[in-house]
Amino acid sequence: MTVTSGKTAIRPFTFEFSDEELEELRRRIRDTRWPEKETVSDQSQGTPLETLREVARYWAEEYDWRKVEAKLRALPHFITEIDGLDIHFIHVRSRHEDALPLIVTHGWPGSVIEQLKIIEPLTDPTAHGGDASDAFHLVIPSMPGYGFSGKPAESGWNPTRMARAWAELMKRLGYSRYAAQGGDWGAIVTDVMAAQEPEGLIGIHTNMANAVPADVMAAIEGGAPLPSGVSLTPEEHKAVEQLRSAYADVPYAFQMGTAPQTLVGLVDSPVGLAAFMLDHDWQSLEMISRSFAHHPEGLTRDDVLDNITLFWLTRSAVSAARLYWENAQAGISFFGAKGVKLPTAVSVFPTEMYTPPRSWAEKAYSNLIHYNKVPKGGHFAAWEQPESFVDEVRTGLRPLR
């Protein structure tokens, strides 16, 4: 481990929230001022009132934050200042010394809670159906403005800066050879990091491939027809239609990308925060709605509220939202190819916001070492389908060992 001192040292980090804070949360939930029911029978007006009322009832009357708090507190947490900002991370070393170090980055509306289910299988594979040769040392940071990491007091913390910070973090931890993984914002940070090719990074795994060709991405982002002469296979055409639908169905991204500070109400109203965070994409919202209607699939009610409660307790809704604004200022494409040349493994989950065709992945990642379509799962892959996700990470990064 690199020797540092002062704020740049690797420092143990602990946390605990008081009973008073949790009771105040429940009081605010109970005191919610409710709107009238939506005037449609689908999700086209956002998070349905019926779903949100059940979220609030369960949150105030049955949910127990202490359960996930105990899981989190049982893990080794650390903090270090990088580029003027405190970065929190979980660092779990495998008992297998030949394990491959892996930095895993979450997305929005996520946190390190997204990765809790994959820590033990990846660090201790022999206890979870794998071989010792599949072991990883895991580094799981909270992105700036998220969870226990510092909230930036200046602009500029975009994926490019974050990628450089992650490389510095791995250097400080003494890892001279490591891989990176990400989904959602984590996928963007991971791709940008790979394009930067910091010393020590040997390859990446992504479950949201940044693989869309530049001309296709420009047309989608601009709401324009595809350029003349662009010929698409049926699979590529499907991906284009998925992306057009996604860009038309993400009002939260527009709001956070243009005026995140206007979302101050998310730090004041827990039910307002929940309504906003649940409405990420229609397939995830449907899955979560089924869970709160007592038909759990992928995510349980506690899974969902563990994450939202962490946002509430750390007052990070607005600071997390600023990442969209920062990215807009930097002009970094959400799904466009980033010019990655390092070995790359791509896992495609069927209900992700778009399913990148192999043809695009092969062009976007010139050293594609793995491409696989997983039978089930969506945007929050590690959280929803941890077994499939773990298998994909093991298989996809095995050529790097």
Side-chain angles (χ1 to χ4, degrees):
M1 184 179 296
T2 302
V3 177
T4 57
S5 60
K7 292 181 179 179
T8 59
I10 305 293
R11 313 182 313 270
F13 176 83
T14 59
F15 68 92
E16 186 174 8
F17 298 100
S18 69
D19 290 340
E20 289 75 18
E21 288 176 280
L22 297 176
E23 182 52 42
E24 171 66 7
L25 167 59
R26 288 187 284 268
R27 183 194 68 76
R28 284 173 176 263
I29 295 169
R30 295 187 188 107
D31 289 349
T32 298
R33 294 176 61 185
W34 292 100
E36 63 284 351
K37 187 181 184 299
E38 62 274 10
T39 58
V40 294
S41 59
D42 56 23
Q43 298 178 161
S44 59
Q45 291 183 357
T47 307
L49 183 64
E50 181 181 8
T51 295
L52 202 54
R53 278 192 173 277
E54 178 57 20
V55 169
R57 186 205 64 77
Y58 182 77
W59 202 0
E61 297 177 12
E62 298 182 43
Y63 172 73
D64 184 1
W65 160 259
R66 297 302 187 197
K67 291 181 180 179
V68 73
E69 184 180 73
K71 292 178 184 178
L72 283 168
R73 285 169 59 84
L75 297 168
H77 294 255
F78 300 89
I79 201 162
T80 186
E81 184 181 292
I82 301 177
D83 198 8
L85 190 71
D86 276 343
I87 299 297
H88 159 264
F89 61 99
I90 296 169
H91 184 199
V92 183
R93 285 186 58 85
S94 173
R95 61 190 176 90
H96 302 289
E97 285 302 315
D98 292 333
L100 176 64
L102 179 68
I103 184 167
V104 182
T105 311
H106 65 81
W108 186 93
S111 64
V112 295
I113 284 174
E114 283 186 61
Q115 277 78 44
L116 290 182
K117 298 175 186 177
I118 65 171
I119 292 174
E120 288 190 7
L122 289 178
T123 58
D124 191 8
T126 56
H128 295 83
D131 298 324
S133 58
D134 289 323
F136 292 91
H137 300 308
L138 289 184
V139 178
I140 307 173
S142 296
M143 294 192 296
Y146 287 70
F148 301 116
S149 278
K151 297 177 173 65
E154 61 178 14
S155 61
W157 274 101
N158 56 49
T160 300
R161 187 172 179 179
M162 207 181 302
R164 291 196 297 265
W166 278 195
E168 173 62 21
L169 175 58
M170 297 304 277
K171 180 181 177 181
R172 286 188 193 178
L173 291 172
Y175 291 131
S176 59
R177 185 177 184 274
Y178 62 92
Q181 196 288 327
D184 191 78
W185 279 113
I188 297 170
V189 172
T190 298
D191 268 41
V192 170
M193 189 177 178
Q196 293 172 350
E197 298 188 16
E199 184 178 0
L201 181 61
I202 60 172
I204 66 171
H205 174 273
T206 177
N207 56 282
M208 193 187 83
N210 293 188
V212 185
D215 54 351
V216 174
M217 196 70 253
I220 292 170
E221 290 177 331
L226 295 178
S228 59
V230 173
S231 179
L232 300 177
T233 66
E235 192 177 19
E236 291 168 347
H237 179 75
K238 176 184 176 182
V240 168
E241 292 307 306
Q242 288 174 325
L243 286 164
R244 289 197 186 279
S245 176
Y247 270 76
D249 191 34
V250 286
Y252 61 86
F254 177 79
Q255 179 66 49
M256 291 190 287
T258 55
Q261 198 67 26
T262 302
L263 295 169
V264 63
L266 302 186
V267 183
D268 185 63
S269 166
V271 170
L273 174 65
F276 192 78
M277 290 178 67
L278 295 184
D279 194 16
H280 178 273
D281 65 274
W282 70 268
Q283 293 180 109
S284 295
L285 179 54
E286 278 196 349
M287 174 185 63
I288 291 168
S289 295
R290 288 194 297 271
S291 180
F292 279 93
H294 306 286
H295 301 288
E297 178 185 350
L299 299 180
T300 68
R301 295 180 296 178
D302 282 3
D303 285 336
V304 173
L305 288 175
D306 289 344
N307 185 55
I308 297 173
T309 304
L310 181 63
F311 266 75
W312 175 261
L313 293 172
T314 56
R315 303 187 183 191
S316 53
V318 173
S319 56
R322 291 195 190 103
L323 177 54
Y324 283 80
W325 185 91
E326 294 287 0
N327 193 72
Q329 304 307 302
I332 300 171
S333 170
F334 283 110
F335 302 105
K338 306 294 189 292
V340 175
K341 297 178 182 177
L342 292 179
T344 301
V346 172
S347 299
V348 181
F349 286 79
T351 53
E352 178 55 274
M353 297 179 75
Y354 96 109
T355 52
R358 177 186 284 272
S359 57
W360 284 0
E362 289 174 343
K363 293 176 183 177
Y365 304 105
S366 58
N367 192 354
L368 186 67
I369 58 174
H370 172 83
Y371 175 93
N372 186 47
K373 291 184 175 181
V374 182
K376 189 175 184 179
H379 187 71
F380 305 100
W383 209 13
E384 295 173 33
Q385 302 294 330
E387 291 184 6
S388 297
F389 181 88
V390 165
D391 185 62
E392 281 297 294
V393 172
R394 288 175 180 171
T395 303
L397 296 180
R398 198 168 286 148
L400 302 183
R401 294 183 182 273

